[in-house]
């Protein structure tokens, strides 16, 4: 959708101008044809419904995990009231924000996308840590080569997330110079992490598994999982990541407010 719209608006007064999805559909209808505008609106509606369900459901499942309440769509309302209540409230809140008169939908959309660009790549760091937790995954933990590939991918994603945040907050920033600096930092960080992993390769894990365990392995209940061990390198990395996330989110909120009030 983005590529098609950019191609349609290229060289026109609508290029690089975004107010809201409705204006984009109207612009497509004007520049390309009414059918293209209608298709854009239908596809966007479909994507919005899927996105609303996916985000609200995943959030409701997360609430259930955190607070220890029953959470599943196969359960009836009486058996999982907290799950269905949180799901309903999230849908109503999201829909209510959209229906507020004169709300700057374009600004909200851009702010949400920028926020997603900040948070989602950073979440892959925790996913990588989870993929190496033998207490949780047992024999299914990542192999060394997979960790190397995953670390590079996660590092690049976090770097791109930082660039997105910087360009959103400071449009005049030198992207080439920033990319070069971050690339150097990324390479040094990956080499440092690899060296640390190499030096600690001889330490035995608390969980001993064999290839025979794969067919019967089951993750222990959450209440039985021990607290993960935090090495000095992991603590330092988490402190840096949390500091970046907190500062990026705060700066993003400030920027959105500044744009909203003009």
């Amino acid at each position: 959708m983005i590529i098609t719209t950019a191609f349609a608006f290229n060289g026109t007064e609508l290029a690089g101008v975004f107010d809201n999805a409705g204006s984009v559909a109207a612009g497509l209808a004007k520049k390309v044809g009414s059918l293209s505008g209608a298709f854009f609106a239908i596809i966007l509606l479909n994507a919005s419904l899927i996105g609303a369900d996916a985000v609200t459901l995943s959030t409701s499942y997360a609430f259930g995990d955190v607070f220890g309440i029953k959470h599943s769509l196969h359960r009836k309302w009486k058996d999982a009231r907290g799950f269905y209540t949180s799901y309903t409230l999230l849908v109503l809140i999201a829909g209510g924000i959209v229906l507020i008169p004169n709300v700057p939908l374009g600004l909200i959309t851009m702010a949400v996308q920028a926020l997603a660009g900040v948070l989602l790549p950073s979440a892959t760091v925790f996913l990588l840590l989870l993929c190496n937790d033998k207490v949780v995954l047992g024999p299914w933990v990542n192999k060394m080569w997979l960790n190397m590939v995953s670390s590079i991918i996660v590092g690049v994603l976090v770097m791109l997330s930082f660039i997105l945040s910087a360009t959103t907050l400071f449009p005049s920033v030198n992207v080439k110079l920033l990319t070069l600096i971050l690339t150097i930092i990324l390479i040094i960080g990956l080499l440092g992490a690899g060296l640390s992993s190499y030096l600690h390769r001889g330490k035995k894990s608390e969980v001993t598994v064999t290839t025979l365990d794969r067919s019967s392995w089951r993750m222990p209940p959450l209440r039985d999982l021990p607290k993960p061990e935090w090495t000095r390198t992991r603590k330092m990395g988490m402190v840096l990541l949390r500091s970046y996330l907190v500062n990026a989110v705060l700066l993003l909120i400030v920027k959105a407010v500044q744009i909203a009030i003009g």
Side-chain angles (χ1 to χ4, degrees), residues 17 19 28 37 45 47 55 74 84 123 128 147-148 167 183 204 211 213:
V17 179
D19 183 22
L28 285 173
L45 176 62
V55 173
H74 77 273
Y84 285 107
L128 182 58
N147 277 332
M148 294 173 62
T167 53
T183 302
K204 295 183 178 180
T211 55
D213 296 325

Side-chain angles (χ1 to χ4, degrees), residues 157-174:
L157 286 175
V158 174
M159 183 183 74
L160 293 176
S161 169
F162 187 88
I163 294 174
L164 173 63
S165 303
T167 53
T168 301
L169 298 171
F170 311 103
S172 60
V173 68
N174 189 328

Side-chain angles (χ1 to χ4, degrees), residues 187-261:
I187 293 174
I188 295 174
L190 290 175
L191 291 176
L195 179 61
S196 176
S197 177
Y198 176 79
L199 294 176
H200 293 85
R201 71 190 188 285
K203 292 187 176 181
K204 295 183 178 180
S205 172
E206 295 180 358
V207 180
T208 303
V209 294
T210 64
T211 55
L212 299 177
D213 296 325
R214 283 176 172 261
S215 60
S216 60
W217 176 264
R218 295 293 183 272
M219 189 191 92
L222 289 176
R223 61 179 179 273
D224 296 336
L225 292 177
K227 292 184 178 180
E229 294 184 2
W230 289 87
T231 62
R232 183 177 301 177
T233 304
R234 181 175 293 187
K235 287 181 180 179
M236 185 181 301
M238 288 298 103
V239 169
L240 292 174
L241 181 61
R242 289 171 181 172
S243 300
Y244 159 66
L245 290 176
V246 170
N247 286 287
V249 171
L250 290 177
L251 289 174
L252 183 60
I253 294 174
V254 171
K255 184 68 174 181
V257 173
Q258 289 177 345
I259 296 176
I261 63 179

